């Protein structure tokens, strides 16, 4: 086990584990972020920053076509007519971007066979998540011809810029450098970064509005163009080419693209409209999931031992505003058992190739009978759902090989932030801690993503720990090595202070224990009424849990405020009080007390000598042993000992729950943190997003009944793991 002491709060340099990927703040979820949706400009800036070094190129345009748009069954690309070539040349001579549009479209629309070549520059998407996006052109299938930009139907986005100075990339001589160069491929100028952020934001919108493995786009600047292929690990970019002198490249791309199947254009065939349902069944599913009448339903075909199993539900409720990374999404769904809809919980994420998928983690935990985890129905890697950008990179590149992983749990429950009283909050966290500790102790698995999102409450008020996608198998050296090379931590607000201060540091048990303390602290500060001024409270929560800065290494860091409060023994700050007193605050402060040993100064040599002297007197019976308890050495040693396992934390919560004084109805209020940033429209959208998410997920908070018949023995065993000998668990009708 790594040393527990972390006294140097001013030390923020990354550790020697240089192979690890820096902590990424994009792991924050929309569910619990009180910030308003970003404007288009803010989103572009963020995307430029997080996708740095994730663009691979330049690739020869003809090679790009052969590798990614091989269309064997289409007729040969027809030649450009003289009129069309003249229109292309005319577009290059335009004095403004707008003057390019008509000529560019007239020259190329014939090659987008059976597609609508729509100018969308004047019609921004009606997108509640990030308003204002409008590519210059979108290609739609002929049957889908929206009047405004519609990223949910867009097959291809095309962006035009008047000057080559807007080119987001810079080519090196492919032949001279043998396809490699030490020069950066991404141009670092204000307008180049803006253009790169812009085209990336369009790809992001396609990914979160549709079900795709990859997507394509074209970016034009003056008389040159590039072709781009996007996936969840980055983008492959062609070399720049003059589209008048080499018009065959552009028209060949469009011709091939329009002749590809939907799957070859990047669509995921395992998600489709639920057209196989009768209207009666569809309405029953909507009622079961508490959806509005007429809500569009999708069919999700999830990997199963017998092939696949179908589940039905709405589109994932919240966008993932990032191109790269795990891009985790969840939504309540239904499967049909004896013709009746039964609630379940669907999750998808992009896992790192070489790291176990979450389905395998659940199977491993099941073998050790871990309590308070969700029963798994089915899941696995989605066929053909993997990235390819990594194929053109070196081993040291940050571009990773990712695989799309989906699973369905036979449990939904309530969010932790919907606790009915503070005693239930503590009770649910206790159960999650039990699941975490038993997994660590019995199955040798470390969760590594303890957060508010990943603890849910069942109908009996018991807690369930979910989301094991980042779990580390401690006894599997090959798995540990892969995870160390591509380390990913959890949700920013709940990550331990030391991991935020030192990106790349190995994630250990103490970090997860600390995350449980942050779960309680963040939830209480965010959801319980307090006499504290709302703006002061907002500032406190933001500084304690959201604060970050970019170090000279370019890595995002934070956590110093958490560390300082731990060091001072003032977590959560004593200035924060509750309108209705509850033992929950004293419990959190007690749980936080051992972390003084982790973040405070270790005992001095003088402290050690004093302790040894007093201890000798105790052994001689000359003074009371209790005197030792006040000494810095004792407090430090006790803190280190308590942090070495979860046992003391579990017993502390259990003891607190047995004491009187817990209010009966001090449940979670609507989020009490002020939404103070952004425009009026952004604040309204933020409030609407929080309300919508609450309504959708609370749809599944009732009892889960699948069938009156007994389930198969193996499934019954899995379901029973929601219980343990001391608590009531989910009961099935």
């Amino acid at each position: 086990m790594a040393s527990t002491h972390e006294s140097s709060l001013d030390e923020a340099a990354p550790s020697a584990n240089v192979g690890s990927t820096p902590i990424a703040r994009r792991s924050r979820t929309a569910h619990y972020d009180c910030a308003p949706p970003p404007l288009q400009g803010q989103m572009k800036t963020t995307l430029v920053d997080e996708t740095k070094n994730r663009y691979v190129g330049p690739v020869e345009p003809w090679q790009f076509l052969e590798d990614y748009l091989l269309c064997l069954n289409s007729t040969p690309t027809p030649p450009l007519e003289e009129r069309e070539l003249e229109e292309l040349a005319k577009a290059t001579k335009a004095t403004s971007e707008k003057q390019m549009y008509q000529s560019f479209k007239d020259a190329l629309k014939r090659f987008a066979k059976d597609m609508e070549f729509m100018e969308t520059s004047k019609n921004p998407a009606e997108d509640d998540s990030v308003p204002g996006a409008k590519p210059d052109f979108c290609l739609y299938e002929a049957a889908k011809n929206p009047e405004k930009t519609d990223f949910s139907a867009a097959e291809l986005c095309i962006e035009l810029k008047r000057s080559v100075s807007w080119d987001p990339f810079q080519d090196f001589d492919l032949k001279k450098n043998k396809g490699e160069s030490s020069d950066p491929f991404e141009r670092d100028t204000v307008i180049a970064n803006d253009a790169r952020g812009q085209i990336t934001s369009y790809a992001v919108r396609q990914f979160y509005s549709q079900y795709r493995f990859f997507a394509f786009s074209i970016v034009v600047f003056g008389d040159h163009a590039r072709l781009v292929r996007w996936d969840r690990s980055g983008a492959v970019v062609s070399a720049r080419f003059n589209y008048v002198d080499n018009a065959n490249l552009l028209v060949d791309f469009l011709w091939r693209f329009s002749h590809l199947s939907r799957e070859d254009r990047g669509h995921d065939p395992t998600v489709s409209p639920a057209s196989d349902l009768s209207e009666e069944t569809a309405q029953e599913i909507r009622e079961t999931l508490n959806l509005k009448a007429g809500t569009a339903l999708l069919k999700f075909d999830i990997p199963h031992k017998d092939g696949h199993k179908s589940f039905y539900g709405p589109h994932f409720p919240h966008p993932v505003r990032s191109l790269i990374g795990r891009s985790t999404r969840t939504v309540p769904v239904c499967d049909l058992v004896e013709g009746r809809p039964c609630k379940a919980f669907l999750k998808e994420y992009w896992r790192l190739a070489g790291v176990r998928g979450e389905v395998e983690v659940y199977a491993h935990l099941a073998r050790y009978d871990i309590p308070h985890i969700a029963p798994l129905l089915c899941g696995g890697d989605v066929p053909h759902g993997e990235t390819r950008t990594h194929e053109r990179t070196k081993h040291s590149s940050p571009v990773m090989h990712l695989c799309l992983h989906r699973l369905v749990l036979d449990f939904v429950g309530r969010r932790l932030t919907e606790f009915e009283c503070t005693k239930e909050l503590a009770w649910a966290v206790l159960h999650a801690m039990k699941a975490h500790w038993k997994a660590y102790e019995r199955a040798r698995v470390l969760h590594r993503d303890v957060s508010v999102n990943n603890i849910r409450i069942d109908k009996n008020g018991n807690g369930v720990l979910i989301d094991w996608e980042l779990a580390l198998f401690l006894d599997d050296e090959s798995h540990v090595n892969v995870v160390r090379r591509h380390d990913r931590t959890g949700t920013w607000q709940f990550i331990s202070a030391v991991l935020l201060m030192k990106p790349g540091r190995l994630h250990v048990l103490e970090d997860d224990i600390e995350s449980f303390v942050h779960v309680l602290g963040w939830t209480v500060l965010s959801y319980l009424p307090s006499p504290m001024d709302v703006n002061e409270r907002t500032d406190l929560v933001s500084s304690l849990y959201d604060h970050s800065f970019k170090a000279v290494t370019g890595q995002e860091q934070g956590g110093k405020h958490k560390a300082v409060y731990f060091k001072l023994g003032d977590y959560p700050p004593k200035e924060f009080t509750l309108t209705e007193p509850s033992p929950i605050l004293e419990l959190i402060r007690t749980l936080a007390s051992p972390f003084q040993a982790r973040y405070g100064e270790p005992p001095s040599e003088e402290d050690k000598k004093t302790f040894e002297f007093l201890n000798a007197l105790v052994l001689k019976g000359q003074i009371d042993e209790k005197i030792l308890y006040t000494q810095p050495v004792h407090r430090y040693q006790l803190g280190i000992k308590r942090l070495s396992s979860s046992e003391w934390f579990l017993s502390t919560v259990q003891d607190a729950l047995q004491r009187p004084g817990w209010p009966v109805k001090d449940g979670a209020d609507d989020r009490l943190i002020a939404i103070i940033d952004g425009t009026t429209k952004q604040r309204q959208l933020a409030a609407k997003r929080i309300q919508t998410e609450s309504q959708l997920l609370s749809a599944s908070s009732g009892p889960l009944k699948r069938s009156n018949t007994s389930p198969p023995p193996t499934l019954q065993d899995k379901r029973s793991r929601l219980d343990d000998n001391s608590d009531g668990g989910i009961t099935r009708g």
Side-chain angles (χ1 to χ4, degrees):
M1 182 175 295
S3 173
T4 313
H5 175 61
E6 309 296 345
S7 63
S8 180
L9 301 184
D10 296 326
E11 187 181 25
S15 70
N17 185 14
V18 295
S20 297
T21 303
I23 295 170
R25 292 188 63 181
R26 64 178 173 275
S27 60
R28 295 188 189 188
T29 62
H31 304 183
Y32 301 102
D33 189 354
C34 64
L39 295 173
Q40 169 69 354
Q42 295 170 320
M43 183 177 182
K44 289 191 292 185
T45 301
T46 300
L47 288 173
V48 167
D49 183 56
E50 74 172 30
T51 58
K52 186 176 181 179
N53 299 323
R54 307 299 180 110
Y55 304 87
V56 180
V59 178
E60 289 285 12
W62 63 266
Q63 189 66 56
F64 185 101
L65 294 174
E66 290 301 301
D67 288 351
Y68 303 121
L69 290 96
L70 189 59
C71 199
L72 299 176
N73 297 323
S74 67
T75 56
T77 306
L80 272 166
E81 296 176 357
E82 187 65 28
R83 173 189 58 81
E84 293 167 329
L85 190 57
E86 290 174 356
E87 290 292 342
L88 269 186
K90 183 178 177 181
T92 67
K93 298 174 183 178
T95 57
S96 70
E97 189 177 305
K98 291 182 180 180
Q99 290 180 4
M100 298 174 68
Y101 294 155
Q102 192 61 49
S103 296
F104 191 83
K105 178 179 178 179
D106 289 345
L108 298 173
K109 63 182 180 181
R110 180 169 65 94
F111 300 94
K113 185 174 174 59
D114 298 325
M115 288 190 168
E116 293 293 338
F117 202 121
M118 299 293 295
E119 180 188 336
T120 49
S121 63
K122 299 177 182 178
N123 302 301
E126 295 180 347
D127 183 351
D128 282 349
S129 63
V130 188
K134 45 183 178 56
D136 293 323
F137 294 98
C138 284
L139 262 63
Y140 301 106
E141 292 181 331
K144 300 176 181 178
N145 186 10
E147 295 181 358
K148 292 190 175 183
T149 301
D150 183 358
F151 287 104
S152 69
E155 292 294 322
L156 181 75
C157 294
I158 304 175
E159 183 64 24
L160 274 61
K161 299 296 182 186
R162 173 65 191 89
S163 167
V164 75
S165 62
W166 287 85
D167 187 354
F169 309 100
Q170 53 190 359
D171 292 350
F172 49 83
D173 191 319
L174 291 169
K175 295 180 180 179
K176 180 180 178 181
N177 293 278
K178 298 182 179 180
E180 298 180 1
S181 174
S182 59
D183 296 330
F185 181 49
E186 300 148 30
R187 290 182 66 222
D188 189 19
T189 66
V190 172
I191 58 176
N193 285 333
D194 184 81
R196 190 164 59 254
Q198 184 176 10
I199 61 174
T200 305
S201 74
Y202 298 156
V204 168
R205 287 175 171 87
Q206 279 186 281
F207 280 127
Y208 72 59
S209 300
Q210 306 179 30
Y211 295 84
R212 283 184 167 273
F213 302 144
F214 57 90
F216 292 96
S217 66
I218 300 173
V219 56
V220 173
F221 22 83
D223 56 359
H224 283 73
R226 292 185 189 272
L227 312 174
V228 188
R229 182 190 184 275
W230 309 88
D231 62 29
R232 282 298 186 185
S233 62
V236 175
V237 185
S238 79
R240 189 169 71 191
F241 61 92
N242 186 301
Y243 62 84
V244 177
D245 295 343
N246 300 281
N248 60 304
L249 292 174
L250 200 55
V251 299
D252 198 21
F253 172 87
L254 289 170
W255 185 260
R256 292 185 186 212
F257 182 84
S258 63
H259 283 79
L260 293 174
S261 66
R262 285 178 58 80
E263 289 80 3
D264 289 335
R265 293 201 302 268
H267 289 278
D268 177 0
T270 67
V271 182
S272 60
S275 55
D276 58 333
L277 295 176
S278 67
E279 183 51 42
E280 180 182 1
T281 301
Q283 188 54 35
E284 287 180 1
I285 290 174
R286 294 185 187 102
E287 292 172 358
T288 301
L289 297 177
N290 196 26
L291 300 173
K292 293 180 180 179
T295 298
L297 295 178
L298 298 170
K299 180 170 75 169
F300 300 88
D301 291 334
I302 307 300
H304 187 270
K305 62 181 181 180
D306 297 325
H308 71 265
K309 183 176 176 59
S310 296
F311 294 83
Y312 301 89
H315 181 68
F316 287 105
H318 294 292
V320 177
R321 301 190 194 97
S322 173
L323 175 69
I324 58 177
R326 301 195 314 274
S327 305
T328 304
R329 301 194 290 183
T330 61
V331 68
V333 293
C334 284
D335 67 343
L336 298 178
V337 178
E338 298 178 352
R340 296 175 54 197
C342 299
K343 287 179 273 191
F345 195 65
L346 169 63
K347 172 183 175 179
E348 74 168 27
Y349 72 98
W350 288 82
R351 70 170 182 85
L352 180 65
V355 173
R356 286 180 173 87
E358 193 169 0
V359 169
E360 190 174 348
V361 179
Y362 271 106
H364 179 77
L365 296 176
R367 288 194 288 271
Y368 290 89
D369 197 29
I370 306 302
H372 300 299
I373 64 172
L376 175 70
L377 284 178
C378 61
D381 289 346
V382 177
H384 309 297
E386 59 182 311
T387 60
R388 293 187 59 189
T389 302
H390 68 282
E391 295 173 352
R392 294 185 175 276
T393 64
K394 298 179 180 179
H395 179 71
S396 59
S397 169
V399 178
M400 297 175 291
H401 181 194
L402 304 176
C403 303
L404 181 58
H405 194 76
R406 288 199 182 109
L407 63 152
V408 179
L409 302 176
D410 192 16
F411 167 78
V412 183
R414 284 178 282 138
R415 296 177 299 160
L416 184 66
T417 52
E418 294 176 320
F419 58 92
E420 296 179 354
C421 60
T422 51
K423 188 171 185 178
E424 183 181 64
L425 170 63
W427 188 252
V429 171
L430 171 64
H431 290 159
M433 292 176 72
K434 284 184 178 181
H436 179 274
W437 175 239
K438 294 304 179 184
Y440 183 88
E441 186 181 39
R442 296 179 191 169
R444 301 291 295 154
V445 170
L446 182 63
H447 188 280
R448 301 199 318 143
D449 191 16
V450 173
S451 73
V452 165
N453 306 357
N454 297 341
I455 303 173
R456 302 191 72 82
I457 304 174
D458 72 17
K459 68 184 183 70
N460 293 325
N462 297 326
V464 179
L465 183 61
I466 62 171
D467 279 9
W468 295 82
E469 66 189 68
L470 293 182
L472 179 66
F473 283 66
L474 300 170
D475 293 335
D476 186 341
E477 189 63 31
S478 62
H479 186 250
V480 171
N481 289 337
V482 171
V483 172
R484 284 184 182 180
R485 288 199 303 271
H486 303 280
D487 198 21
R488 281 288 187 269
T489 54
T491 308
W492 185 270
Q493 290 90 337
F494 312 103
I495 298 172
S496 72
V498 67
L499 290 179
L500 294 180
M501 291 189 295
K502 299 180 180 180
R505 182 185 175 92
L506 183 63
H507 194 130
V508 295
L509 175 64
E510 295 99 306
D511 298 305
D512 274 9
I513 295 175
E514 183 179 329
S515 291
F516 279 113
V517 178
H518 293 315
V519 164
L520 285 169
W522 183 91
T523 304
V524 167
L525 264 64
S526 299
Y527 284 90
L528 286 179
S530 168
M532 179 179 280
D533 175 78
V534 65
N535 290 330
E536 182 182 0
R537 182 176 183 172
T538 299
D539 183 65
L540 173 62
V541 173
S542 178
S543 64
L544 187 55
Y545 298 106
D546 296 335
H547 171 71
S548 71
F549 66 94
K550 183 169 290 188
V552 293
T553 60
Q555 296 173 310
E556 199 86 6
Q557 297 183 11
K560 287 191 175 182
H561 293 92
K562 291 177 180 176
V564 168
Y565 280 113
F566 277 138
K567 178 182 179 180
L568 297 175
D570 190 28
Y571 183 101
K574 292 183 176 62
E575 63 196 83
F576 178 81
T577 59
L578 297 176
T579 302
E580 183 172 3
S582 167
I584 192 73
L585 274 181
E586 186 58 35
L587 172 61
I588 299 171
R589 291 181 179 125
T590 302
L591 294 173
S593 60
F595 291 95
Q596 280 187 285
R598 191 177 207 199
Y599 295 104
E601 295 295 334
S604 66
E605 289 302 317
E606 187 64 30
D607 291 332
K608 293 176 183 178
K609 290 178 181 179
T610 301
F611 183 80
E612 290 172 1
F613 173 75
L614 294 174
N615 189 46
L617 296 179
V618 170
L619 293 175
K620 294 177 182 179
Q622 296 179 5
I623 61 173
D624 193 314
E625 184 181 11
K626 292 181 180 178
I627 294 178
L628 295 179
Y629 301 164
T630 63
Q631 297 301 304
V633 171
H634 174 79
R635 292 197 300 268
Y636 177 80
Q637 291 176 344
L638 184 61
I640 295 296
K641 180 180 179 181
R642 287 173 173 174
L643 289 171
S644 66
S645 82
S646 299
E647 296 287 2
W648 177 83
F649 293 89
L650 290 169
S651 62
T652 298
V653 179
Q654 288 173 324
D655 290 346
L657 288 168
Q658 300 304 315
R659 297 173 192 153
W662 290 91
V664 178
K665 294 184 179 180
D666 61 337
D669 201 339
D670 289 337
R671 188 178 174 88
L672 299 172
I673 302 300
I675 302 174
I676 58 177
D677 295 327
T679 64
T680 300
K681 178 64 173 176
Q682 284 181 289
R683 292 195 295 270
Q684 292 171 347
L685 292 174
K688 178 180 178 182
R689 184 179 68 232
I690 293 170
Q691 180 183 22
T692 301
E693 195 266 353
S694 177
Q695 291 173 344
L696 180 61
L697 293 186
S698 64
S700 305
S701 61
L704 306 183
K705 296 184 178 180
R706 308 196 73 79
S707 159
N708 291 325
T709 59
S710 299
T714 54
L715 189 54
Q716 181 68 61
D717 290 343
K718 292 180 181 179
R719 290 173 177 171
S720 69
R721 277 184 289 280
L722 282 167
D723 311 324
D724 66 14
N725 294 330
S726 61
D727 312 309
I730 288 183
T731 56
R732 292 280 178 167

